[in-house]
Amino acid sequence: MHMVQGFIGDLMILVHTSRPPSAAEWAEYVGAVAAHDPTKLRTLVFTDGGAPNSPQRKEVTAALGGHASRGAIVSASMMVRGAVTALGWFNPLIRAFPPTQLEDALQYLGVPKEDVPLVLAEA
């Protein structure tokens, strides 16, 4: 496994290893994105460097149906930040945060302070 996901309400939480997601893992993620209202969906990603490739980025862009969806990607990897920049061309609500700015990422997503322990436990 290179990527797992979970939900707390309309907050999707993804955790990546240092490797890119497999086709099956990405298909599951894209299906989950497509099943939610992209204007309400918020996504928190923790990654050790794993990021979607170009075709996978196109798939999630299509699943969003032209809508922006708020996302915070937490990673120290410069490669991941490049992927976030590429995704940001199609989804201007996606932002990258270093691990030292986790609190800022959670605030950006509108996670109430009382829900932070639950979110971190899910991750």
Side-chain angles (χ1 to χ4, degrees):
M1 278 188 137
H2 304 298
M3 183 178 91
V4 294
Q5 65 184 7
F7 278 91
I8 297 175
D10 62 0
L11 178 66
M12 176 186 278
I13 302 167
L14 298 170
V15 179
H16 288 262
T17 65
S18 61
R19 303 211 33 199
S22 69
E25 290 165 339
W26 195 254
E28 182 180 344
Y29 164 68
V30 170
V33 168
H36 286 81
D37 179 346
T39 63
K40 294 179 182 172
L41 179 67
R42 300 167 297 145
T43 305
L44 176 62
V45 179
F46 294 96
T47 179
D48 285 335
N53 59 34
S54 180
Q56 289 172 328
R57 289 191 300 268
K58 287 179 185 177
E59 288 175 23
V60 76
T61 298
L64 289 170
H67 297 282
S69 180
R70 190 169 296 269
I73 291 72
V74 179
S75 181
S77 167
M78 293 302 288
M79 186 170 120
V80 168
R81 290 183 188 173
V84 171
T85 298
L87 284 168
W89 296 331
F90 303 99
N91 181 3
L93 296 179
I94 193 168
R95 302 275 187 275
F97 296 86
T100 57
Q101 294 179 356
L102 175 58
E103 186 175 315
D104 294 338
L106 295 169
Q107 285 178 342
Y108 178 71
L109 294 173
V111 175
K113 288 188 180 196
E114 61 271 12
D115 290 351
V116 169
L118 181 62
V119 169
L120 295 179
E122 178 67 22

